[in-house]
PDB file of all heavy atoms in Angstrom:
ATOM      1  N   CYS A  67      -5.203  -6.921   4.212  1.00 98.00           N
ATOM      2  CA  CYS A  67      -5.659  -5.628   4.846  1.00 98.00           C
ATOM      3  C   CYS A  67      -5.164  -4.479   4.013  1.00 98.00           C
ATOM      4  O   CYS A  67      -5.858  -3.516   3.711  1.00 98.00           O
ATOM      5  CB  CYS A  67      -5.268  -5.581   6.280  1.00 98.00           C
ATOM      6  SG  CYS A  67      -5.666  -4.021   7.067  1.00 98.00           S
ATOM      7  N   LEU A  68      -3.861  -4.533   3.758  1.00 98.00           N
ATOM      8  CA  LEU A  68      -3.221  -3.341   3.063  1.00 98.00           C
ATOM      9  C   LEU A  68      -3.789  -3.142   1.649  1.00 98.00           C
ATOM     10  O   LEU A  68      -3.937  -2.048   1.223  1.00 98.00           O
ATOM     11  CB  LEU A  68      -1.689  -3.572   2.993  1.00 98.00           C
ATOM     12  CG  LEU A  68      -0.882  -3.482   4.314  1.00 98.00           C
ATOM     13  CD1 LEU A  68       0.565  -3.551   4.033  1.00 98.00           C
ATOM     14  CD2 LEU A  68      -1.272  -2.257   5.071  1.00 98.00           C
ATOM     15  N   LYS A  69      -4.060  -4.253   1.024  1.00 97.00           N
ATOM     16  CA  LYS A  69      -4.616  -4.118  -0.360  1.00 97.00           C
ATOM     17  C   LYS A  69      -5.934  -3.374  -0.353  1.00 97.00           C
ATOM     18  O   LYS A  69      -6.279  -2.617  -1.275  1.00 97.00           O
ATOM     19  CB  LYS A  69      -4.789  -5.491  -0.990  1.00 97.00           C
ATOM     20  CG  LYS A  69      -3.495  -6.099  -1.522  1.00 97.00           C
ATOM     21  CD  LYS A  69      -3.686  -7.450  -2.081  1.00 97.00           C
ATOM     22  CE  LYS A  69      -4.220  -7.419  -3.577  1.00 97.00           C
ATOM     23  NZ  LYS A  69      -3.122  -7.506  -4.548  1.00 97.00           N
ATOM     24  N   MET A  70      -6.737  -3.602   0.711  1.00 98.00           N
ATOM     25  CA  MET A  70      -7.990  -2.942   0.774  1.00 98.00           C
ATOM     26  C   MET A  70      -7.930  -1.434   0.944  1.00 98.00           C
ATOM     27  O   MET A  70      -8.802  -0.696   0.505  1.00 98.00           O
ATOM     28  CB  MET A  70      -8.800  -3.477   1.989  1.00 98.00           C
ATOM     29  CG  MET A  70      -9.162  -4.956   1.838  1.00 98.00           C
ATOM     30  SD  MET A  70     -10.245  -5.412   3.246  1.00 98.00           S
ATOM     31  CE  MET A  70     -10.261  -7.266   2.974  1.00 98.00           C
ATOM     32  N   ILE A  71      -6.833  -0.955   1.540  1.00 98.00           N
ATOM     33  CA  ILE A  71      -6.727   0.448   1.775  1.00 98.00           C
ATOM     34  C   ILE A  71      -5.610   1.103   0.921  1.00 98.00           C
ATOM     35  O   ILE A  71      -5.295   2.290   1.114  1.00 98.00           O
ATOM     36  CB  ILE A  71      -6.418   0.737   3.270  1.00 98.00           C
ATOM     37  CG1 ILE A  71      -5.139   0.069   3.691  1.00 98.00           C
ATOM     38  CG2 ILE A  71      -7.582   0.365   4.137  1.00 98.00           C
ATOM     39  CD1 ILE A  71      -4.763   0.363   5.170  1.00 98.00           C
ATOM     40  N   SER A  72      -5.130   0.330  -0.042  1.00 97.00           N
ATOM     41  CA  SER A  72      -4.142   0.919  -0.892  1.00 97.00           C
ATOM     42  C   SER A  72      -4.775   1.502  -2.104  1.00 97.00           C
ATOM     43  O   SER A  72      -5.649   0.894  -2.754  1.00 97.00           O
ATOM     44  CB  SER A  72      -3.035  -0.078  -1.241  1.00 97.00           C
ATOM     45  OG  SER A  72      -3.607  -1.150  -2.100  1.00 97.00           O
ATOM     46  N   GLY A  73      -4.436   2.706  -2.488  1.00 97.00           N
ATOM     47  CA  GLY A  73      -5.029   3.435  -3.544  1.00 97.00           C
ATOM     48  C   GLY A  73      -5.145   4.909  -3.073  1.00 97.00           C
ATOM     49  O   GLY A  73      -5.307   5.207  -1.979  1.00 97.00           O
ATOM     50  N   ARG A  74      -4.754   5.723  -4.042  1.00 97.00           N
ATOM     51  CA  ARG A  74      -4.574   7.153  -3.804  1.00 97.00           C
ATOM     52  C   ARG A  74      -5.722   7.846  -2.909  1.00 97.00           C
ATOM     53  O   ARG A  74      -5.367   8.782  -2.140  1.00 97.00           O
ATOM     54  CB  ARG A  74      -4.483   7.914  -5.124  1.00 97.00           C
ATOM     55  CG  ARG A  74      -4.355   9.360  -5.177  1.00 97.00           C
ATOM     56  CD  ARG A  74      -2.936   9.800  -4.783  1.00 97.00           C
ATOM     57  NE  ARG A  74      -2.851  11.222  -4.744  1.00 97.00           N
ATOM     58  CZ  ARG A  74      -3.308  12.029  -3.804  1.00 97.00           C
ATOM     59  NH1 ARG A  74      -3.876  11.536  -2.734  1.00 97.00           N
ATOM     60  NH2 ARG A  74      -3.168  13.282  -3.925  1.00 97.00           N
ATOM     61  N   TRP A  75      -6.910   7.392  -3.058  1.00 97.00           N
ATOM     62  CA  TRP A  75      -7.992   8.120  -2.387  1.00 97.00           C
ATOM     63  C   TRP A  75      -8.785   7.247  -1.408  1.00 97.00           C
ATOM     64  O   TRP A  75      -9.822   7.741  -0.874  1.00 97.00           O
ATOM     65  CB  TRP A  75      -9.041   8.678  -3.481  1.00 97.00           C
ATOM     66  CG  TRP A  75      -8.346   9.449  -4.554  1.00 97.00           C
ATOM     67  CD1 TRP A  75      -8.021   9.098  -5.753  1.00 97.00           C
ATOM     68  CD2 TRP A  75      -7.931  10.819  -4.381  1.00 97.00           C
ATOM     69  NE1 TRP A  75      -7.416  10.084  -6.394  1.00 97.00           N
ATOM     70  CE2 TRP A  75      -7.310  11.204  -5.594  1.00 97.00           C
ATOM     71  CE3 TRP A  75      -7.929  11.744  -3.323  1.00 97.00           C
ATOM     72  CZ2 TRP A  75      -6.708  12.414  -5.780  1.00 97.00           C
ATOM     73  CZ3 TRP A  75      -7.389  12.978  -3.490  1.00 97.00           C
ATOM     74  CH2 TRP A  75      -6.827  13.335  -4.735  1.00 97.00           C
ATOM     75  N   LYS A  76      -8.325   6.056  -1.083  1.00 98.00           N
ATOM     76  CA  LYS A  76      -9.018   5.190  -0.154  1.00 98.00           C
ATOM     77  C   LYS A  76      -9.110   5.834   1.285  1.00 98.00           C
ATOM     78  O   LYS A  76     -10.115   5.903   1.815  1.00 98.00           O
ATOM     79  CB  LYS A  76      -8.314   3.822  -0.062  1.00 98.00           C
ATOM     80  CG  LYS A  76      -8.367   3.037  -1.279  1.00 98.00           C
ATOM     81  CD  LYS A  76      -9.687   2.337  -1.533  1.00 98.00           C
ATOM     82  CE  LYS A  76      -9.749   1.484  -2.748  1.00 98.00           C
ATOM     83  NZ  LYS A  76      -8.809   0.282  -2.649  1.00 98.00           N
TER      84      LYS A  76
END
Side-chain angles (χ1 to χ4, degrees):
Chain A
C67 176
L68 292 185
K69 283 180 80 97
M70 293 186 194
I71 57 179
S72 64
R74 177 77 179 77
W75 305 103
K76 294 281 181 71

